[in-house]
Amino acid sequence: MEWLRLFFLHPVSFYQGAAFPFALLFNYLCIMDSFSTRARYLFLLAGGGALAVAAMGSYAVLVFTPAVCAVALLCSLAPQQVHRWTFCFQMSWQTLCHLGLHYTEYYLHEPPSVRFCITLSSLMLLTQRVTSLSLDICEGKVEAASGGFRSRSSLSEHVCKALPYFSYLLFFPALLGGSLCSFQRFQARVQGSSALHPRHSFWALSWRCLQILGLECLNVAVSRVVDAGAGLTDCQQFECIYVVWTTAGLFKLTYYSHWILDDSLLHAAGFGPELGQSPGEEGYVPDADIWTLERTHRISVFARKWNQSTARWLRRLVFQHSRAWPLLQTFAFSAWWHGLHPGQVFGFVCWAVMVEADYLIHSFANEFIRSWPMRLFYRTLTWAHTQLIIAYIMLAVEVRSLSSLWLLCNSYNSVFPMVYCILLLLLVKRKHKCN
């Protein structure tokens, strides 16, 4: 079957699929209470190391090194200092690795190694876990192990204290993908027995497999449509709108299927939602809320629900600590975290402006649109506009070359974000007059 061949030809999907038996084995051993807490930490850590070497080859050193350094900082610094230093080190290391990708793509004009790209993706996820843990320690949610390396304890005692940190930063179900799992949740899962009943786990995984099957079949169908039609380089006028919309649809389908696969691996290992807990409750945050993403008529809602655990992480890390222009700072940091490619900088800044416009436009509309036929018309119109703006932003973020970005900006697709920009200026001016 073509969809199955294409899905598992993707390197990350292949390695995530290969990790499934070990995730199920870990969950089974936890249910049977067959090994100690320390053995569970070691199992997850060893699995992460093996998966990193298999997927990244020699580039795995680029993930192991910051993980070791992060644990050293976590164990040696005071709780008030730990977040600042770990954040600076982790983002500096990740930026240097991204600069290596820039050098390969833009200076040498060579395609980057697939293993190196997998390494960068894993490094970005490691940054999430490192900063989330350091924030937890700084805020007092997690007991700090500060002074551990400076005390007179034996080496084995130092390693035992640091083992949960090492295991959390490199545990294999979340090494290559998956929603962000907090350290408290991770620790609770490892130290307690699995909360998943085998029958519940079987049906949950079966439902996810059916979702992936449906998404991949759609992916194949849409990719055939995209390949058969004109591209962004040779499309004409209004045809470019259709090209961008279908291409963005292809990207979204790919993201959805991979997010569900990543979520399935976490679920198989016992890190999914507990029985009776609905998606979105505190602790478990699925990345793919497809129903909300595809039916929302608000760009701000799409921004909160797209890659939901990352959106919450950005809100906690940047937005809540920003005094001036928090929205712009959050999207600017997201561009930095993603690698600062020209299309990413343009796309995320555009997204920030669109979200700001979204707030003002819908607040204004809620004041003046009263009748339900007009509300239905308004909701339909803004839904279509939102989908077209998101398609525009998605292509801007995904394209690598400046020439492709220039073609996108010069196409008729730029009309849609331009309309929101004009409305933003008019509503800001009106708001100032009213004040």
Side-chain angles (χ1 to χ4, degrees), residues 48-327:
L51 183 61
V53 172
M56 306 169 203
S58 59
Y59 292 115
V61 176
L62 297 176
V63 174
F64 294 151
T65 302
V68 172
C69 293
V71 172
L73 291 171
L74 291 168
C75 292
S76 59
L77 294 174
Q80 297 79 10
Q81 299 175 320
V82 70
H83 176 63
R84 184 188 306 114
W85 284 99
T86 52
F87 174 83
C88 291
F89 172 80
Q90 187 66 30
M91 285 305 299
S92 299
W93 182 273
Q94 183 181 304
T95 302
L96 286 173
C97 293
H98 271 126
L99 287 175
L101 181 64
H102 283 249
Y103 176 76
T104 303
E105 287 189 331
Y106 302 120
Y107 184 76
L108 298 179
H109 299 289
E110 295 177 357
S113 166
V114 173
R115 289 183 183 273
F116 184 59
C117 291
I118 294 174
T119 304
L120 283 178
S121 176
S122 180
L123 196 58
M124 291 166 66
L125 296 171
L126 177 65
T127 299
Q128 285 190 340
R129 292 192 292 276
V130 168
T131 52
S132 174
L133 176 55
S134 64
L135 271 175
D136 286 340
I137 292 174
C138 191
E139 294 171 0
K141 295 179 180 178
V142 172
E143 186 179 352
S146 56
F149 289 162
R150 292 176 292 182
S151 64
R152 296 183 178 180
S153 304
S154 63
L155 179 62
S156 61
E157 290 177 342
H158 288 320
V159 172
C160 288
K161 287 181 180 179
L163 180 60
Y165 292 159
F166 276 121
S167 185
Y168 171 67
L169 296 181
L170 296 172
F171 77 114
F172 73 91
L175 185 72
L176 302 180
S179 60
L180 177 61
C181 175
S182 68
F183 182 73
Q184 303 102 295
R185 182 175 172 80
F186 169 80
Q187 205 168 31
R189 282 288 184 271
V190 174
Q191 292 178 354
S193 60
S194 176
L196 291 175
H197 191 275
R199 183 176 296 178
H200 170 75
S201 182
F202 171 78
W203 286 114
L205 290 173
S206 299
W207 169 239
R208 285 168 172 81
C209 287
L210 287 174
Q211 286 179 302
I212 293 171
L213 171 62
L215 288 168
E216 286 303 311
C217 289
L218 273 175
N219 201 327
V220 170
V222 174
S223 63
R224 286 178 176 173
V225 172
V226 171
D227 293 340
L232 196 60
T233 55
D234 50 0
C235 63
Q236 298 293 324
Q237 299 176 348
F238 290 102
E239 185 186 14
C240 294
I241 299 173
Y242 174 75
V243 168
V244 167
W245 181 70
T246 52
T247 307
L250 193 61
F251 283 132
K252 286 199 286 187
L253 288 169
T254 304
Y255 277 116
Y256 293 156
S257 60
H258 284 291
W259 285 340
I260 294 173
L261 175 66
D262 298 336
D263 180 64
S264 300
L265 183 60
L266 283 168
H267 190 93
F271 294 95
E274 298 178 6
L275 282 171
Q277 181 183 15
S278 60
E281 287 186 21
E282 188 64 29
Y284 173 72
V285 184
D287 282 331
D289 188 355
I290 302 174
W291 175 250
T292 302
L293 289 168
E294 292 304 319
R295 71 183 180 90
T296 184
H297 68 295
R298 299 199 57 171
I299 295 175
S300 56
V301 173
F302 193 98
R304 287 194 297 270
K305 293 297 183 179
W306 177 263
N307 201 354
Q308 195 171 183
S309 66
T310 297
R312 290 195 182 187
W313 169 71
L314 288 169
R315 182 179 182 84
R316 183 189 180 199
L317 183 69
V318 184
F319 188 88
Q320 292 177 351
H321 295 87
S322 301
R323 296 180 181 177
W325 302 94
L327 192 66

Side-chain angles (χ1 to χ4, degrees), residues 333-350:
F333 175 80
S334 184
W336 179 21
W337 179 67
H338 278 86
L340 287 176
H341 291 275
Q344 291 171 343
V345 175
F346 173 80
F348 282 111
V349 171
C350 178

